[in-house]
Amino acid sequence: MLRKGITESFGAAIHSVSAAQLTDGVINRSKRMILDTLGVGLLGTRSAVFNKALAHSQFMSEERSSVWGKSDITLPPYYAAFVNGIAVHSMDFDDTWHPATHPSGAVLPALLALAETPPGRTSGLDLLLAFNVGIEVQGRLMRFSREAHNIPERFHPPSVVGVMGSAAASAKLLGLSPEQCCHALAIAASSAGAPLANAATQTKPLHIGNAARQGLEAAQLAQIGLEGNPAILDMDRGFGVYYKDYSPTAMLPDSASGGFKWILEEQDVAVKRLPAHLGMHWVVDAALAARGKLEKMVGSVALSQIQHITLRVPPSKYIDCPLPATEHQARHSFQFSACSALLDNKVTVASYGEDQINRPALRELLSKVTVETPEDNRPSFDEMYCEVEIETDQGQIHTARCDTFYGHWRKPLSDKDLVDKFSVNASSVLCTKGVEGVIEVIGDIEALSECSVLGSYLRMASSPHEQLYSMRYL
């Protein structure tokens, strides 16, 4: 947790300081600094790097890409990638890999934004290949460290490996040379990193948006000749700064087959059923099972019957939030997710709404929760478990444990359930034709000659009446 009072003092000082408090010495020195900065900045407009960045910015301001679900709004590609990336992670509903990251949200928005820009047509196969390159690079980078296998403690992984994946995918789609691809990764590395302290806040989704945008921009800057350190992945002071046990290996063809061996072939992703941090899926499934045992015993479940709740979860400070006050805190709260499941016998998108968070019954149930972190419960999404124990007013104990929830990479969603999830989510924004069109295009994307058709379906917004109707099912 933040040390109480430090940030508050900064905020107060920033707010209250006035021009009257400037001294002559400070004024004189700062004027010198301003003048010098303007001078070197003006001189710098004659430099090669400035002119490359200027050309890039002018080009980007002329091109426009789609904002998903908005029929009448387009943005420069990197801003389209930014806002669409934010949308992907806005409810923590996007896929999760192991070692821990959210791989798709950092890559797909960048590629779809880029696919709408000249000069050439992007086929579905082009898009599919570039997407997998971006996923593969993230997977390889995460395997350069054993530390990355655990639930993160210091930084949000998509902000580190996601921007590299976006850069790699964008470089592939742009057809960059090997040297330019190296520079794209180096440029992207200087935009990597976000502190985990911003988890459970509105800023966390920006990590995905920034990764998508900055990776795309890194590839475009490399395309026009901007250079970085071509050994960025080899060095402890390069990409290695993010991991204490950094041990990189080369990205080479498979020694046995001579072909390319994709990590995604061996390591599936988790597709979430709940719009919350991945850890919540274990505790919700365990809570529902424990509630089922209680209901089977007494015939019905009332709040007054539950005297105490014990959650046995892996140690992780940022998903231990006893009394969440916002939807983002609730999505990162073992306690809230378990109590929602116990109280309502379900957890949905609506469960994390403000009206649900502030219910007196839920607050009362939260006051009965104790969290334990058993030594055998490792903070790894591949090894953790969650156990929920309910003690009743009659002294009865009902316990349930979840080792692998439905949707985990060991227990993936069926194709039908995945399509159903998409349909429910997408129909809150798109009309029926748009929803069905996206499903059809993605289902046969490798045969698609032009990706613009996908963009057209993603812009088919439904009417406000249709959106209101579909929200009833979320």
Side-chain angles (χ1 to χ4, degrees):
M1 294 180 63
L2 295 174
R3 186 180 300 173
K4 186 177 181 180
I6 299 296
T7 305
E8 183 181 3
S9 72
F10 273 70
I14 291 164
H15 172 75
S16 63
V17 68
S18 69
Q21 293 170 277
L22 294 172
T23 65
D24 289 343
V26 166
I27 289 172
N28 289 334
R29 288 180 176 176
S30 59
K31 287 194 295 185
R32 285 162 49 88
M33 294 163 69
I34 291 169
L35 187 64
D36 178 64
T37 301
L38 290 173
V40 298
L42 288 166
L43 178 64
T45 63
R46 301 176 62 184
S47 68
V49 66
F50 169 82
N51 282 295
K52 288 174 181 177
L54 177 61
H56 165 72
S57 298
Q58 289 175 319
F59 167 76
M60 290 302 292
S61 65
E62 295 172 358
E63 305 301 335
R64 312 296 286 185
S65 297
S66 300
V67 177
W68 301 349
K70 303 293 183 182
S71 58
D72 56 347
I73 298 176
T74 59
L75 293 173
Y78 48 83
Y79 284 116
F82 176 63
V83 297
N84 291 333
I86 289 172
V88 168
H89 197 58
S90 62
M91 295 185 183
D92 221 320
F93 212 175
D94 46 328
D95 58 20
T96 306
W97 216 7
H98 179 74
T101 196
H102 302 283
S104 299
V107 173
L108 188 59
L111 292 178
L112 290 181
L114 194 57
E116 292 187 85
T117 64
R121 302 193 333 173
T122 299
S123 71
L125 196 57
D126 293 335
L127 182 73
L128 198 60
L129 177 58
F131 177 79
N132 277 284
V133 166
I135 301 303
E136 182 72 15
V137 164
Q138 293 179 75
R140 301 236 176 185
L141 292 176
M142 289 187 294
R143 281 158 179 78
F144 288 177
S145 164
R146 289 297 307 172
E147 178 188 0
H149 287 245
N150 293 329
I151 295 175
E153 296 181 352
R154 296 179 293 119
F155 58 82
H156 193 207
S159 71
V160 172
V161 298
V163 68
M164 305 297 280
S166 174
S170 299
K172 182 64 178 176
L173 201 63
L174 288 169
L176 300 194
S177 70
E179 293 77 14
Q180 289 174 319
C181 290
C182 290
H183 290 307
L185 292 174
I187 297 165
S190 282
S191 297
L196 203 57
N198 271 328
T201 74
Q202 285 187 323
T203 296
K204 187 187 178 194
L206 269 65
H207 299 171
I208 301 289
N210 282 331
R213 174 177 67 87
Q214 291 165 345
L216 185 158
E217 194 164 23
Q220 290 182 319
L221 288 168
Q223 185 182 36
I224 62 173
L226 195 71
E227 297 180 351
N229 191 320
I232 195 72
L233 300 182
D234 301 73
M235 309 167 73
D236 286 341
R237 60 189 175 89
F239 194 74
V241 300
Y242 297 106
Y243 298 101
K244 300 172 185 176
D245 58 346
Y246 189 67
S247 182
T249 57
M251 190 171 178
L252 300 171
D254 180 50
S255 57
S257 65
F260 199 84
K261 192 172 184 179
W262 300 92
I263 290 175
L264 189 59
E265 184 72 31
E266 298 181 352
Q267 175 64 64
D268 201 355
V269 298
V271 175
K272 296 180 177 179
R273 296 170 12 252
L274 314 173
H277 182 278
L278 193 70
M280 304 307 108
H281 292 63
W282 276 274
V283 80
V284 166
D285 279 12
L288 291 173
R291 187 187 192 280
K293 291 182 178 180
L294 174 59
E295 192 169 26
K296 186 176 181 180
M297 179 69 68
V298 299
S300 63
V301 176
L303 179 62
S304 59
Q305 295 171 320
I306 300 176
Q307 290 294 102
H308 190 258
I309 303 162
T310 302
L311 308 181
R312 299 185 180 97
V313 298
S316 181
K317 294 180 181 178
Y318 84 103
I319 47 178
D320 179 4
C321 185
L323 293 171
T326 69
E327 63 167 298
H328 296 284
Q329 291 177 352
R331 296 182 201 281
H332 293 74
S333 170
F334 277 129
Q335 297 91 329
F336 177 87
S337 298
C339 288
S340 291
L342 290 172
L343 190 62
D344 302 327
N345 201 26
K346 63 180 180 180
V347 176
T348 67
V349 171
S351 300
Y352 297 96
E354 185 176 343
D355 55 337
Q356 299 297 300
I357 293 172
N358 295 318
R359 288 180 293 169
L362 184 56
R363 292 283 159 173
E364 181 181 345
L365 206 56
L366 284 168
S367 70
K368 301 177 181 182
V369 176
T370 298
V371 172
E372 298 178 357
T373 55
E375 290 186 5
D376 69 335
N377 201 353
R378 294 195 63 244
S380 166
F381 292 134
D382 207 36
E383 301 177 39
M384 64 174 279
Y385 66 87
C386 287
E387 192 170 84
V388 175
E389 180 181 284
I390 304 171
E391 182 178 351
T392 71
D393 56 346
Q394 301 296 315
Q396 299 170 331
I397 302 293
H398 301 281
T399 305
R401 168 169 162 159
C402 177
D403 294 290
T404 304
F405 64 86
Y406 180 46
H408 190 277
W409 44 84
R410 291 192 299 265
K411 195 175 181 181
L413 292 187
S414 68
D415 290 344
K416 180 183 181 303
D417 286 346
L418 190 147
V419 170
D420 286 348
K421 175 188 172 181
F422 169 81
S423 298
V424 171
N425 290 337
S427 63
S428 68
V429 176
L430 301 181
C431 66
T432 301
K433 183 178 178 181
V435 174
E436 293 176 349
V438 173
I439 294 172
E440 182 179 356
V441 167
I442 299 301
D444 198 27
I445 193 169
E446 63 271 30
L448 189 67
S449 61
E450 171 58 69
C451 281
S452 61
V453 65
L454 177 57
S456 67
Y457 284 128
L458 289 169
R459 292 192 298 272
M460 289 185 179
S462 59
S463 67
H465 174 75
E466 290 173 312
Q467 292 181 16
L468 182 63
Y469 179 80
S470 64
M471 286 300 290
R472 299 175 185 175
Y473 297 94
L474 291 175

